[in-house]
Amino acid sequence: MQIIGNSPAISALRGTISRLAATDLPVLILGESGTGKEVVAQSLHYGGPRRDNPFIAVNCAALTETLLESELFGHEKGAFTDAREARQGKFELADGGTLFLDEIGDMSPGGQAKLLRVLEQKVITRVGGSATIRTNVRVVAATNAKLAQAVRDKKFREDLYYRLSVVALDLHPLRDRPEDILPLAEFFLDNFS
């Protein structure tokens, strides 16, 4: 993915991404809706050594706690009513690559606890299963929520916050960098004409 713009904020962001892409550090991307959080996550993935492995994105806000657990960790046949066959979760599908957890601030407390355990132990257990499965996944998370405030308000686990935010990138909205409007307009015009 290409990060378009010439503003000092975008130039600094490109430099930071090029340095971080070569690492396996967890990255927390903060910014308003529309600031390009997924583009940054893809740039981290495709600019680094995991580029030939999967990039899997999960919108945490779109899934209930029970569905999120099945989506992330998979499930065994018979684990619940509609589980007619075993299915890999996103952690298994992203093996060797990157798992992008979008809107992490909307994850339920139970989901946060389960995610923290996986990040600490590097193993998952499918819903309805007992075998542990090792994971080799770089986690990049993003949110438009004020996560530090959510931690202070006890709405987001402090230990998970620190585990996810080893490096935090704060993306500036376009209104704060008007010099990027024309390059973005030209980019989209070239792509869609």
Side-chain angles (χ1 to χ4, degrees):
M1 292 303 298
Q2 212 176 345
I3 297 179
I4 308 300
N6 303 318
S7 67
I10 292 297
S11 296
L13 179 64
R14 273 196 291 269
T16 301
I17 288 171
S18 69
R19 287 189 306 278
L20 287 175
T23 74
D24 268 345
L25 294 172
V27 177
L28 178 62
I29 305 168
L30 305 168
E32 297 176 11
S33 293
T35 53
K37 294 182 291 290
E38 188 163 354
V39 172
V40 169
Q42 289 176 351
S43 295
L44 286 165
H45 173 75
Y46 291 109
R50 293 179 178 265
R51 75 179 62 81
D52 296 328
N53 295 306
F55 175 87
I56 305 288
V58 178
N59 184 341
C60 299
L63 302 169
T64 63
E65 180 178 337
T66 51
L67 188 54
L68 182 67
E69 185 177 359
S70 176
E71 280 293 307
L72 290 178
F73 312 130
H75 61 259
E76 296 295 345
K77 180 179 179 179
F80 47 85
T81 306
D82 290 331
R84 294 184 182 91
E85 59 188 31
R87 191 173 68 94
Q88 290 183 319
K90 302 300 188 195
F91 269 95
E92 285 180 84
L93 294 172
D95 190 51
T98 302
L99 182 63
F100 174 57
L101 300 174
D102 198 11
E103 300 309 338
I104 192 82
D106 294 331
M107 187 177 275
S108 68
Q112 292 176 36
K114 291 170 184 157
L115 176 60
L116 177 65
R117 196 182 105 251
V118 171
L119 295 176
E120 289 175 344
Q121 299 175 0
K122 305 275 192 239
V123 296
I124 60 157
T125 303
R126 290 182 183 165
V127 175
S130 57
T132 56
I133 301 166
R134 290 209 93 19
T135 63
N136 172 17
V137 174
R138 180 185 196 176
V139 173
V140 176
T143 185
N144 61 8
K146 304 287 185 215
L147 220 46
Q149 184 62 47
V151 168
R152 285 190 292 277
D153 295 342
K154 306 284 189 226
K155 294 179 181 173
F156 197 85
R157 292 182 65 111
E158 185 175 15
D159 45 4
L160 178 58
Y161 173 73
Y162 287 115
R163 178 72 63 166
L164 291 171
S165 65
V166 172
V167 176
L169 297 177
D170 202 355
L171 304 185
H172 299 282
L174 191 56
R175 70 176 169 274
D176 292 347
R177 44 188 182 86
E179 61 269 39
D180 291 335
I181 294 172
L182 191 55
L184 277 167
E186 290 170 346
F187 173 79
F188 290 123
L189 185 62
D190 286 347
N191 275 355
F192 296 117
S193 65

